[in-house]
Amino acid sequence: MALRGAVRAVRAVAAARPSTTRVASAAAAPRSVMAAAARAMSSESFKLPDLTYDYHELEPFVAAEIMELHHSKHHKTYVTNLNNALDATLDAQAKGDVAAAIALQGAIRFNGGGHINHSIFWENLAPPSKGGGGEPEGELKTYIDAAFGDFESFKKTFNAQTAAVQGSGWGWLGYNKAADRVEFRAMPNQDPLSMTGLVPLLGIDVWEHAYYLQYKNVRPDYLNAIWGVVNFGDVAAKLAKAKAK
């Protein structure tokens, strides 16, 4: 939307100039206006979200050191790199450098996906004193039972298929609006679940930075443990929101 606005501004600038100067200023005007748009976008950069719990509150399921590094270092890096890539894309567009803009799309996909995925992940977790652990209830339970049989079968499916992710990635429970059902989907790297058309409800990060300091290379142990801090109240709220759209 901001870029379209900038384009409209470019056209307005060009139309307002006297015809004797229009040709001479054609190259400079768009760049100056697009540069202004880039500065405006920079002031609205994506930000690292605050957590609703302290790093130590997810222990013993997830160590405080992991949480601090994961949130304040890894997620922050995704946010920083996303903002840098978006700024560079705007600059490339302002210069008419299509090749440079295309080359930046991988960085936007990777870092943008990292920001989206982690923002959902933090909301999906909570200490037991704040709603973490337990089992799904109400409508969420109905959907999970319909798709997987029961909660234990759901966890077994989720854990097995997420543990099998090659390299780095995520395990997801998503809502299929067209079919009105929930589905499991594994995603590689930082690709967001929305790329599949599913609405993300619950995501578990299986990049090694999410668990290695505590669980070493035993990914299944991490997956078994993290259910103790999954916030099914948040997952249920995401399902209700997805159904309402």
Side-chain angles (χ1 to χ4, degrees):
M1 294 297 293
L3 289 176
R4 288 198 291 270
V7 171
R8 287 195 295 270
V10 168
R11 291 172 177 167
V13 168
R17 290 183 182 275
S19 59
T20 56
T21 62
R22 189 170 298 163
V23 173
S25 61
R31 292 185 183 183
S32 64
V33 175
M34 291 298 286
R39 287 192 296 272
M41 286 290 287
S42 296
S43 67
E44 301 174 0
S45 297
F46 292 100
K47 294 180 174 25
L48 181 70
D50 293 330
L51 302 184
T52 58
Y53 43 84
D54 292 330
Y55 295 138
H56 71 274
E57 288 190 88
L58 298 188
E59 291 187 326
F61 307 97
V62 184
E65 183 181 11
I66 289 177
M67 284 298 301
E68 183 173 5
L69 290 170
H70 200 173
H71 176 257
S72 68
K73 301 298 183 183
H74 290 282
H75 190 174
K76 184 178 181 181
T77 297
Y78 292 127
V79 173
T80 298
N81 290 342
L82 172 61
N83 288 328
N84 290 342
L86 290 172
D87 287 345
T89 300
L90 285 170
D91 184 61
Q93 290 173 325
K95 295 175 181 177
D97 190 342
V98 177
I102 292 173
L104 287 159
Q105 297 312 297
I108 293 172
R109 174 173 171 167
F110 180 76
N111 292 290
H115 177 47
I116 291 170
N117 294 342
H118 285 87
S119 296
I120 296 170
F121 184 51
W122 307 134
E123 294 173 347
N124 282 161
L125 303 179
S129 62
K130 298 180 180 178
E135 299 186 5
E137 300 177 349
E139 187 175 45
L140 176 62
K141 172 180 167 53
T142 299
Y143 273 87
I144 287 177
D145 288 353
F148 301 96
D150 55 35
F151 179 54
E152 288 303 316
S153 297
F154 161 63
K155 286 198 299 182
K156 288 179 182 178
T157 298
F158 195 107
N159 284 6
Q161 296 191 34
T162 304
V165 170
Q166 294 184 349
S168 301
W170 292 72
W172 287 97
L173 178 70
Y175 176 63
N176 183 328
K177 190 170 181 64
D180 189 28
R181 68 187 181 208
V182 295
E183 301 176 7
F184 173 86
R185 193 70 57 90
M187 297 297 291
N189 300 314
Q190 292 296 353
D191 287 356
L193 184 66
S194 56
M195 292 176 63
T196 70
L198 298 178
V199 180
L201 304 178
L202 169 65
I204 302 298
D205 186 354
V206 287
W207 280 66
E208 285 191 341
H209 63 236
Y211 63 88
Y212 196 86
L213 287 177
Q214 184 173 4
Y215 295 96
K216 303 300 185 263
N217 64 331
V218 190
R219 183 184 283 178
D221 284 357
Y222 158 70
L223 289 168
N224 286 329
I226 202 166
W227 295 104
V229 286
V230 169
N231 183 355
F232 284 108
D234 177 74
V235 181
K238 285 178 167 51
L239 174 61
K241 184 177 180 179
K243 286 174 58 65
K245 287 186 177 179

